[in-house]
Amino acid sequence: MGRGMARLRRRRGFTFIELIVTLAIMGVLATVAVPMAQVAVQRDKERELRLALQEIRDAIDAYKRASDNGSIKLSLGDSGFPKTLEELAEGVPDQRHPQKRSLYFLRRIPRDPFAPPSIASAADTWAKRAYASPPDNPMEGMDVFDVASRSDLTGLNGTPLKAW
């Protein structure tokens, strides 16, 4: 009986080698898991970017359709696109409605998920392209024809986020 108890007492704890092997396995798993987590975060931000771009572009197109239909007052030389992104959320008077109720195209302007948090205004997180600017050299101007991310990062698909 004494021998059996002595043997049990020796086998209760872990050996130093077992602990080292366990730590090595955990280290390998951590080095695999961290990059996968970073890719997952990047993928989520890219999905948010795609949705935000689609939402803003749909609103710009709806604004243009409304101006083409005569619902939005245009001045001579206006392109029919919104002058600012804020116009899409703040609304514009509907010229075809008797009480001139406002037309709204966005509930709020989404932020660029890749923009630094120091930029306070959601509209300022986007690079804007005017109707008069060429597609190969987009510049801001008198209206907002399109938007893009200001980020210098490249997406997981290999395309710069600015080009989305």
Side-chain angles (χ1 to χ4, degrees), residues 78-90:
D78 283 352
S79 65
F81 289 99
K83 300 214 182 326
T84 64
L85 284 180
E86 289 86 359
E87 247 183 330
L88 299 171
E90 293 169 0

Side-chain angles (χ1 to χ4, degrees), residues 24-44:
I25 291 171
M26 288 175 59
V28 168
L29 290 175
T31 59
V32 170
V34 169
M36 288 175 56
Q38 290 172 337
V39 168
V41 168
Q42 173 92 6
R43 188 180 305 120
D44 286 344

Side-chain angles (χ1 to χ4, degrees), residues 10-153:
R10 274 187 266 151
R11 295 201 148 246
R12 279 191 197 166
F14 295 106
T15 66
F16 183 68
I17 298 213
E18 289 172 328
L19 287 173
I20 295 296
V21 168
T22 303
L23 287 175
I25 291 171
M26 288 175 59
V28 168
L29 290 175
T31 59
V32 170
V34 169
M36 288 175 56
Q38 290 172 337
V39 168
V41 168
Q42 173 92 6
R43 188 180 305 120
D44 286 344
K45 281 186 168 186
E46 287 183 12
R47 184 182 49 76
E48 285 179 49
L49 177 62
R50 263 190 224 95
L51 292 173
L53 285 169
Q54 189 62 50
E55 184 179 3
I56 294 172
R57 288 172 176 161
D58 286 347
I60 290 170
D61 292 343
Y63 185 101
K64 175 65 171 148
R65 280 191 301 276
S67 69
D68 289 347
N69 292 335
S71 295
I72 298 174
K73 184 179 179 182
L74 295 176
S75 300
L76 187 63
D78 283 352
S79 65
F81 289 99
K83 300 214 182 326
T84 64
L85 284 180
E86 289 86 359
E87 247 183 330
L88 299 171
E90 293 169 0
V92 291
D94 184 351
Q95 299 301 313
R96 299 178 79 187
H97 194 276
Q99 284 91 26
K100 303 283 191 239
R101 287 192 181 156
S102 290
L103 291 171
Y104 299 97
F105 303 94
L106 287 173
R107 289 188 177 140
R108 62 172 183 76
I109 300 169
R111 289 183 64 84
D112 179 350
F114 289 95
S118 61
I119 301 175
S121 167
D124 292 338
T125 63
W126 300 103
K128 298 158 198 86
R129 175 183 165 208
Y131 180 71
S133 74
D136 57 342
N137 186 21
M139 294 181 291
E140 291 190 31
M142 302 298 287
D143 55 18
V144 180
F145 174 69
D146 195 13
V147 292
S149 177
R150 291 183 186 271
S151 176
D152 291 324
L153 297 175

